[in-house]
Amino acid sequence: MAEQFAVATMTALRGILAATRWLRHRWDEIREPRNVKIVYWCAYWLALVTGVLTLMWPPRTIVGEIGDELTAVWSLLFIVGGAVGAGSVFGGWWQYERLALACIGGGLLVYLTVVCYLHITSEGSRVTQIGMILGFALLWVLRLTMIWAYNYEPRSRGRH
């Protein structure tokens, strides 16, 4: 019994060590600034998931104002932008990432316009939604300013 436990423990430790090496290798493959790229990768995934969930369960107050079709359009813009952005941020394919930013920006613009309209025409405040949309939009504007100059991330002559 003790021998089986020791074997199982050693097997588990080898698996953990292999997974740690694999993660470290993947981490080392990400060009600097790694932390920025990971944050944007997460933001792209957030846009993608938000688009999918909005397409599946659209907000009724917005659908009532702009219809199912336009709600589906800005959901699809989030989906395409999130997928393209998540797929391109680590590779340094900035021309694709700019496409992603344009899609997400278009979706945010439609959403912001509708929320502002609802703020003016309906009861209650939508200032929180407006602030969060604008805050998320600033994240995309910042990324756009970071990648504007080139189509691809400049590479050094060294390892990366």
Side-chain angles (χ1 to χ4, degrees):
M1 182 73 144
E3 187 177 314
Q4 289 175 337
F5 178 75
V7 169
T9 302
M10 290 303 294
T11 303
L13 288 174
R14 283 188 196 110
I16 291 170
L17 186 59
T20 303
R21 278 193 221 118
W22 182 83
L23 284 172
R24 180 62 190 190
H25 176 71
R26 298 300 300 169
W27 177 258
D28 287 341
E29 286 182 344
I30 301 170
R31 291 181 42 84
E32 293 290 348
R34 290 181 183 111
N35 56 343
V36 171
K37 290 181 180 183
I38 288 173
V39 167
Y40 277 99
W41 183 78
C42 291
Y44 285 124
W45 271 101
L46 178 61
L48 176 94
V49 169
T50 300
V52 168
L53 294 176
T54 301
L55 190 61
M56 292 171 64
W57 298 287
R60 289 290 134 211
T61 56
I62 293 178
V63 169
E65 291 298 322
I66 64 174
D68 286 321
E69 295 82 13
L70 195 52
T71 303
V73 167
W74 64 265
S75 298
L76 290 170
L77 286 170
F78 286 162
I79 293 168
V80 170
V84 171
S88 64
V89 69
F90 290 130
W93 302 310
W94 289 347
Q95 76 276 24
Y96 298 118
E97 201 171 347
R98 282 196 294 270
L99 171 66
L101 293 169
C103 289
I104 292 170
L108 285 172
L109 183 62
V110 173
Y111 183 44
L112 178 64
T113 302
V114 174
V115 170
C116 287
Y117 175 77
L118 289 173
H119 179 71
I120 294 167
T121 62
S122 64
E123 288 186 31
S125 173
R126 299 203 183 250
V127 173
T128 304
Q129 282 178 284
I130 293 168
M132 289 295 101
I133 295 166
L134 290 173
F136 204 60
L138 287 175
L139 181 70
W140 302 120
V141 169
L142 176 63
R143 184 62 181 167
L144 189 59
T145 62
M146 294 169 69
I147 65 171
W148 188 258
Y150 302 98
N151 284 333
Y152 297 98
E153 182 176 17
R155 304 284 186 200
S156 66
R157 295 189 186 269
R159 180 172 164 251
H160 287 100

